[in-house]
Amino acid sequence: MLSAQNPTRRNILKTAGGLSAAMALGAGGVLASATPAAAVGDGFGLRIVDRNEADPRMRYYRFQTSAIGWNPGVNVLLPDDYHWSGRTYPVLYLFHGGGTDQDFITFDRAGIRQWTAGKRIIVVMPDGGHMGWYSNPVSSNVGPRNWETFHIGQLLPWVEANFRTYAEYDGRAVSGFSMGGFGALKYAAKYYGHFASVSSHSGPASLRRDNGAVVHWANLTSALDLGGGTVYGAPFWDEARVNADNPVQRIESYRNKRVFLVAGTNPDPINWFDTLNETHVLAGQREFRGLLSNAGIPHQGLEVGGGHVIRPQLMQDDINGIIARLRKA
Protein backbone atom coordinates (compact mmCIF):
# COMPACT_ATOMS: atom_id res chain seq x y z
CA MET A 1 0.00 0.00 0.00
CA LEU A 2 1.36 3.39 -0.96
CA SER A 3 1.72 6.08 1.68
CA ALA A 4 0.00 9.44 1.39
CA GLN A 5 2.91 11.20 3.07
CA ASN A 6 5.52 9.65 0.84
CA PRO A 7 3.81 8.11 -2.17
CA THR A 8 5.99 6.15 -4.53
CA ARG A 9 6.51 8.01 -7.78
CA ARG A 10 6.09 5.57 -10.61
CA ASN A 11 5.58 7.07 -14.00
CA ILE A 12 4.51 3.99 -15.92
CA LEU A 13 4.15 4.92 -19.57
CA LYS A 14 1.92 2.48 -21.42
CA THR A 15 0.03 2.96 -24.65
CA ALA A 16 -3.46 1.73 -25.46
CA GLY A 17 -4.41 2.98 -28.88
CA GLY A 18 -3.10 5.91 -30.84
CA LEU A 19 -1.47 6.85 -34.11
CA SER A 20 1.77 5.09 -34.80
CA ALA A 21 4.69 7.09 -36.13
CA ALA A 22 2.76 10.30 -35.55
CA MET A 23 4.21 13.52 -34.19
CA ALA A 24 2.25 15.94 -32.04
CA LEU A 25 3.06 19.27 -30.49
CA GLY A 26 2.71 18.87 -26.72
CA ALA A 27 2.15 21.41 -23.96
CA GLY A 28 4.55 24.31 -23.88
CA GLY A 29 5.65 23.69 -27.44
CA VAL A 30 7.43 20.41 -26.64
CA LEU A 31 7.35 18.01 -29.55
CA ALA A 32 5.98 14.63 -28.39
CA SER A 33 6.16 11.45 -30.41
CA ALA A 34 3.17 9.11 -30.18
CA THR A 35 4.21 5.48 -29.69
CA PRO A 36 2.68 2.50 -31.51
CA ALA A 37 -0.67 1.28 -30.24
CA ALA A 38 -0.66 -1.59 -27.74
CA ALA A 39 -3.71 -3.83 -27.67
CA VAL A 40 -5.76 -3.81 -24.49
CA GLY A 41 -5.57 -7.33 -23.12
CA ASP A 42 -6.47 -9.73 -20.32
CA GLY A 43 -4.86 -9.85 -16.92
CA PHE A 44 -5.26 -9.63 -13.14
CA GLY A 45 -8.04 -12.21 -13.18
CA LEU A 46 -9.97 -10.45 -15.96
CA ARG A 47 -10.65 -12.01 -19.36
CA ILE A 48 -12.21 -9.73 -21.96
CA VAL A 49 -15.29 -11.35 -23.50
CA ASP A 50 -16.69 -8.30 -25.31
CA ARG A 51 -15.30 -4.93 -26.36
CA ASN A 52 -16.03 -1.87 -28.46
CA GLU A 53 -13.12 0.44 -29.24
CA ALA A 54 -14.64 2.25 -32.21
CA ASP A 55 -15.26 5.49 -30.33
CA PRO A 56 -12.01 7.49 -30.03
CA ARG A 57 -12.83 8.50 -26.45
CA MET A 58 -15.27 6.00 -24.90
CA ARG A 59 -13.96 2.44 -24.75
CA TYR A 60 -16.16 -0.43 -23.58
CA TYR A 61 -15.04 -3.79 -22.17
CA ARG A 62 -16.83 -6.71 -20.55
CA PHE A 63 -15.00 -9.28 -18.46
CA GLN A 64 -15.24 -12.80 -17.23
CA THR A 65 -13.93 -12.91 -13.65
CA SER A 66 -14.13 -15.36 -10.77
CA ALA A 67 -14.97 -12.42 -8.48
CA ILE A 68 -18.41 -11.92 -10.07
CA GLY A 69 -20.90 -14.60 -11.13
CA TRP A 70 -21.80 -12.71 -14.32
CA ASN A 71 -19.74 -10.66 -16.76
CA PRO A 72 -19.43 -7.04 -15.54
CA GLY A 73 -18.67 -4.18 -17.90
CA VAL A 74 -16.64 -0.99 -17.76
CA ASN A 75 -16.49 2.22 -19.75
CA VAL A 76 -13.08 3.90 -19.99
CA LEU A 77 -13.33 7.53 -21.12
CA LEU A 78 -10.10 8.85 -22.63
CA PRO A 79 -9.00 12.48 -23.01
CA ASP A 80 -9.39 14.13 -26.40
CA ASP A 81 -5.63 14.07 -27.02
CA TYR A 82 -4.91 10.58 -25.66
CA HIS A 83 -4.11 8.88 -28.97
CA TRP A 84 -1.50 11.33 -30.19
CA SER A 85 -0.12 13.18 -27.14
CA GLY A 86 2.12 10.49 -25.63
CA ARG A 87 1.16 11.86 -22.21
CA THR A 88 0.50 9.91 -19.02
CA TYR A 89 -2.74 10.91 -17.28
CA PRO A 90 -4.34 10.96 -13.84
CA VAL A 91 -7.37 8.71 -13.50
CA LEU A 92 -10.78 9.04 -11.85
CA TYR A 93 -12.71 5.94 -10.79
CA LEU A 94 -16.39 6.96 -10.95
CA PHE A 95 -19.07 4.73 -9.38
CA HIS A 96 -22.79 4.59 -10.18
CA GLY A 97 -25.66 4.45 -7.71
CA GLY A 98 -28.02 1.63 -6.84
CA GLY A 99 -31.13 0.52 -8.70
CA THR A 100 -32.14 -1.74 -11.55
CA ASP A 101 -31.56 1.11 -14.02
CA GLN A 102 -28.02 1.87 -12.82
CA ASP A 103 -24.86 0.38 -14.31
CA PHE A 104 -21.54 1.29 -15.93
CA ILE A 105 -23.35 3.36 -18.59
CA THR A 106 -25.05 5.64 -16.04
CA PHE A 107 -22.58 8.52 -16.32
CA ASP A 108 -22.43 8.34 -20.10
CA ARG A 109 -26.18 8.87 -20.13
CA ALA A 110 -25.79 11.74 -17.65
CA GLY A 111 -23.21 13.64 -19.72
CA ILE A 112 -19.69 12.62 -18.66
CA ARG A 113 -18.31 13.22 -22.16
CA GLN A 114 -19.38 16.85 -22.04
CA TRP A 115 -18.22 17.31 -18.44
CA THR A 116 -14.70 16.19 -19.36
CA ALA A 117 -14.35 17.65 -22.86
CA GLY A 118 -10.87 19.13 -23.25
CA LYS A 119 -9.77 17.89 -19.80
CA ARG A 120 -6.69 15.72 -19.38
CA ILE A 121 -8.01 12.93 -17.19
CA ILE A 122 -9.04 9.31 -17.77
CA VAL A 123 -12.39 8.31 -16.25
CA VAL A 124 -13.06 4.66 -15.43
CA MET A 125 -16.74 3.74 -14.86
CA PRO A 126 -17.30 0.09 -13.90
CA ASP A 127 -20.33 -2.00 -13.04
CA GLY A 128 -21.01 -2.24 -9.32
CA GLY A 129 -24.12 -4.39 -9.33
CA HIS A 130 -27.65 -3.06 -9.04
CA MET A 131 -27.27 -3.16 -5.27
CA GLY A 132 -23.72 -4.42 -4.76
CA TRP A 133 -22.73 -1.72 -2.24
CA TYR A 134 -19.11 -1.90 -3.45
CA SER A 135 -18.53 -4.80 -1.08
CA ASN A 136 -17.72 -8.47 -0.82
CA PRO A 137 -20.99 -9.68 0.75
CA VAL A 138 -21.22 -11.81 3.86
CA SER A 139 -23.50 -14.21 1.98
CA SER A 140 -24.75 -14.83 -1.57
CA ASN A 141 -27.15 -17.42 -2.93
CA VAL A 142 -26.40 -16.68 -6.57
CA GLY A 143 -22.65 -17.18 -6.81
CA PRO A 144 -19.83 -14.68 -6.25
CA ARG A 145 -20.61 -10.96 -6.09
CA ASN A 146 -17.28 -9.71 -4.78
CA TRP A 147 -17.33 -6.14 -6.04
CA GLU A 148 -14.55 -4.90 -3.78
CA THR A 149 -12.21 -7.59 -5.11
CA PHE A 150 -13.21 -6.80 -8.70
CA HIS A 151 -12.69 -3.03 -8.37
CA ILE A 152 -9.57 -2.85 -6.21
CA GLY A 153 -7.82 -6.17 -6.76
CA GLN A 154 -8.51 -6.63 -10.48
CA LEU A 155 -9.81 -3.59 -12.35
CA LEU A 156 -7.44 -0.98 -10.90
CA PRO A 157 -4.22 -2.85 -11.83
CA TRP A 158 -5.77 -3.84 -15.19
CA VAL A 159 -6.38 -0.17 -16.01
CA GLU A 160 -2.82 0.74 -15.07
CA ALA A 161 -1.40 -2.07 -17.20
CA ASN A 162 -3.41 -1.14 -20.29
CA PHE A 163 -3.68 2.66 -20.29
CA ARG A 164 -1.21 5.48 -19.72
CA THR A 165 -2.04 6.38 -16.14
CA TYR A 166 -0.02 7.46 -13.11
CA ALA A 167 0.07 4.29 -11.01
CA GLU A 168 0.50 6.18 -7.75
CA TYR A 169 -1.36 7.93 -4.96
CA ASP A 170 -1.23 11.37 -6.57
CA GLY A 171 -2.48 9.94 -9.85
CA ARG A 172 -5.81 8.51 -8.66
CA ALA A 173 -9.18 9.86 -7.51
CA VAL A 174 -12.42 8.10 -6.60
CA SER A 175 -15.94 9.51 -6.75
CA GLY A 176 -19.53 8.36 -7.01
CA PHE A 177 -23.22 9.05 -6.69
CA SER A 178 -25.51 7.61 -3.99
CA MET A 179 -24.40 4.00 -3.35
CA GLY A 180 -21.36 4.85 -5.48
CA GLY A 181 -20.60 7.83 -3.24
CA PHE A 182 -20.53 5.46 -0.30
CA GLY A 183 -18.26 3.14 -2.29
CA ALA A 184 -15.89 6.03 -2.98
CA LEU A 185 -15.70 7.00 0.71
CA LYS A 186 -15.23 3.37 1.71
CA TYR A 187 -12.46 2.59 -0.78
CA ALA A 188 -10.60 5.85 -0.04
CA ALA A 189 -10.41 4.91 3.64
CA LYS A 190 -9.80 1.16 3.40
CA TYR A 191 -7.19 1.59 0.67
CA TYR A 192 -5.65 4.75 2.06
CA GLY A 193 -2.61 4.85 -0.21
CA HIS A 194 -4.57 4.42 -3.43
CA PHE A 195 -6.52 7.68 -3.83
CA ALA A 196 -5.51 11.31 -3.26
CA SER A 197 -9.05 12.66 -3.83
CA VAL A 198 -12.44 11.31 -2.75
CA SER A 199 -15.88 12.67 -3.60
CA SER A 200 -19.37 11.63 -2.56
CA HIS A 201 -22.41 13.02 -4.36
CA SER A 202 -25.44 12.19 -2.20
CA GLY A 203 -23.62 9.17 -0.78
CA PRO A 204 -24.14 7.98 2.82
CA ALA A 205 -21.20 8.56 5.18
CA SER A 206 -22.54 7.04 8.41
CA LEU A 207 -23.66 3.41 8.56
CA ARG A 208 -24.63 3.10 12.24
CA ARG A 209 -26.62 6.27 12.92
CA ASP A 210 -30.38 5.93 13.52
CA ASN A 211 -29.93 2.38 14.79
CA GLY A 212 -27.96 1.34 11.73
CA ALA A 213 -30.48 2.53 9.14
CA VAL A 214 -28.00 2.44 6.25
CA VAL A 215 -26.74 -1.05 7.16
CA HIS A 216 -30.33 -2.30 7.26
CA TRP A 217 -30.99 -0.57 3.91
CA ALA A 218 -27.88 -2.16 2.38
CA ASN A 219 -28.90 -5.61 3.62
CA LEU A 220 -32.49 -5.20 2.41
CA THR A 221 -31.68 -3.85 -1.04
CA SER A 222 -28.76 -6.20 -1.68
CA ALA A 223 -31.19 -9.11 -1.66
CA LEU A 224 -31.94 -8.06 -5.27
CA ASP A 225 -28.43 -9.05 -6.29
CA LEU A 226 -27.70 -11.80 -3.79
CA GLY A 227 -30.79 -14.00 -3.98
CA GLY A 228 -31.60 -13.39 -0.34
CA GLY A 229 -28.00 -13.03 0.80
CA THR A 230 -26.78 -9.85 2.49
CA VAL A 231 -23.88 -7.43 2.38
CA TYR A 232 -23.30 -7.21 6.15
CA GLY A 233 -25.15 -10.21 7.58
CA ALA A 234 -28.64 -10.60 9.03
CA PRO A 235 -30.06 -10.78 11.61
CA PHE A 236 -26.60 -10.30 13.12
CA TRP A 237 -24.09 -8.04 11.41
CA ASP A 238 -20.49 -8.83 10.76
CA GLU A 239 -19.39 -6.03 13.09
CA ALA A 240 -15.78 -6.02 11.84
CA ARG A 241 -16.96 -5.37 8.29
CA VAL A 242 -19.27 -2.57 9.34
CA ASN A 243 -16.46 -0.96 11.33
CA ALA A 244 -14.06 -1.25 8.40
CA ASP A 245 -16.55 0.21 5.90
CA ASN A 246 -18.06 3.00 8.01
CA PRO A 247 -16.59 6.38 6.95
CA VAL A 248 -17.34 8.09 10.28
CA GLN A 249 -15.25 5.42 12.02
CA ARG A 250 -12.27 5.96 9.67
CA ILE A 251 -11.76 9.71 10.03
CA GLU A 252 -7.94 9.66 10.13
CA SER A 253 -7.95 7.81 6.81
CA TYR A 254 -9.13 10.99 5.08
CA ARG A 255 -6.18 13.08 6.18
CA ASN A 256 -4.00 14.44 3.35
CA LYS A 257 -6.74 13.84 0.79
CA ARG A 258 -9.01 16.19 -1.09
CA VAL A 259 -12.53 15.50 0.27
CA PHE A 260 -15.61 16.75 -1.59
CA LEU A 261 -19.17 16.10 -0.35
CA VAL A 262 -22.62 17.02 -1.71
CA ALA A 263 -26.03 16.48 -0.11
CA GLY A 264 -29.52 17.78 -0.89
CA THR A 265 -31.51 19.72 1.67
CA ASN A 266 -35.09 19.41 0.46
CA PRO A 267 -36.02 16.07 -1.13
CA ASP A 268 -39.41 15.64 -2.75
CA PRO A 269 -41.88 14.98 0.12
CA ILE A 270 -44.19 13.08 -2.22
CA ASN A 271 -41.40 10.73 -3.30
CA TRP A 272 -40.69 8.38 -0.39
CA PHE A 273 -37.53 7.02 -2.02
CA ASP A 274 -36.09 10.50 -2.50
CA THR A 275 -36.99 11.55 1.04
CA LEU A 276 -35.75 8.35 2.69
CA ASN A 277 -32.41 8.42 0.90
CA GLU A 278 -31.45 12.06 1.02
CA THR A 279 -32.63 12.59 4.62
CA HIS A 280 -30.17 9.95 5.80
CA VAL A 281 -27.48 11.17 3.40
CA LEU A 282 -27.71 14.72 4.73
CA ALA A 283 -27.66 13.69 8.38
CA GLY A 284 -24.77 11.27 7.84
CA GLN A 285 -22.70 13.76 5.86
CA ARG A 286 -23.23 16.39 8.56
CA GLU A 287 -21.97 13.91 11.17
CA PHE A 288 -19.01 13.04 8.95
CA ARG A 289 -18.13 16.67 8.26
CA GLY A 290 -18.30 17.50 11.95
CA LEU A 291 -15.83 14.73 12.76
CA LEU A 292 -13.51 15.85 9.96
CA SER A 293 -13.60 19.41 11.30
CA ASN A 294 -12.90 18.26 14.86
CA ALA A 295 -9.89 16.34 13.58
CA GLY A 296 -8.61 19.35 11.63
CA ILE A 297 -9.00 17.59 8.27
CA PRO A 298 -9.79 20.01 5.42
CA HIS A 299 -12.82 19.19 3.29
CA GLN A 300 -15.48 20.81 1.15
CA GLY A 301 -19.09 20.04 2.05
CA LEU A 302 -21.98 21.46 0.06
CA GLU A 303 -25.64 21.45 1.03
CA VAL A 304 -27.78 22.33 -1.96
CA GLY A 305 -31.43 22.37 -2.92
CA GLY A 306 -33.15 19.27 -4.18
CA GLY A 307 -33.00 15.62 -3.27
CA HIS A 308 -31.33 12.39 -4.35
CA VAL A 309 -30.17 13.30 -7.86
CA ILE A 310 -27.00 13.72 -9.92
CA ARG A 311 -26.16 17.43 -10.23
CA PRO A 312 -24.23 17.96 -13.48
CA GLN A 313 -22.73 21.33 -12.55
CA LEU A 314 -21.38 20.01 -9.25
CA MET A 315 -20.03 16.92 -11.02
CA GLN A 316 -18.15 19.24 -13.37
CA ASP A 317 -16.91 21.39 -10.48
CA ASP A 318 -15.74 18.23 -8.74
CA ILE A 319 -13.87 17.00 -11.82
CA ASN A 320 -12.08 20.37 -12.04
CA GLY A 321 -11.10 20.06 -8.38
CA ILE A 322 -9.88 16.51 -8.92
CA ILE A 323 -7.68 17.59 -11.82
CA ALA A 324 -6.27 20.44 -9.72
CA ARG A 325 -5.37 18.01 -6.91
CA LEU A 326 -3.87 15.16 -8.95
CA ARG A 327 -0.58 14.99 -10.80
CA LYS A 328 -0.87 16.76 -14.11
CA ALA A 329 -0.92 14.94 -17.44
Side-chain angles (χ1 to χ4, degrees), residues 204-265:
S206 179
L207 298 184
R208 294 184 180 276
R209 68 174 297 110
D210 300 325
N211 299 310
V214 176
V215 176
H216 288 305
W217 182 246
N219 279 339
L220 177 66
T221 56
S222 64
L224 288 170
D225 284 357
L226 301 173
T230 64
V231 170
Y232 289 113
F236 302 107
W237 302 344
D238 184 321
E239 297 291 350
R241 293 197 188 202
V242 176
N243 293 342
D245 289 1
N246 193 2
V248 298
Q249 293 180 254
R250 303 294 303 269
I251 293 300
E252 281 301 315
S253 296
Y254 299 96
R255 195 174 295 279
N256 300 319
K257 297 182 185 294
R258 172 186 176 271
V259 180
F260 183 86
L261 306 162
V262 178
T265 56

Side-chain angles (χ1 to χ4, degrees), residues 4 13 157 176 227 268 293:
L13 185 61
D268 181 356
S293 295

Side-chain angles (χ1 to χ4, degrees), residues 147-162:
W147 294 106
E148 188 169 338
T149 296
F150 170 60
H151 294 137
I152 303 298
Q154 298 181 324
L155 183 66
L156 188 149
W158 178 86
V159 167
E160 293 176 351
N162 285 285

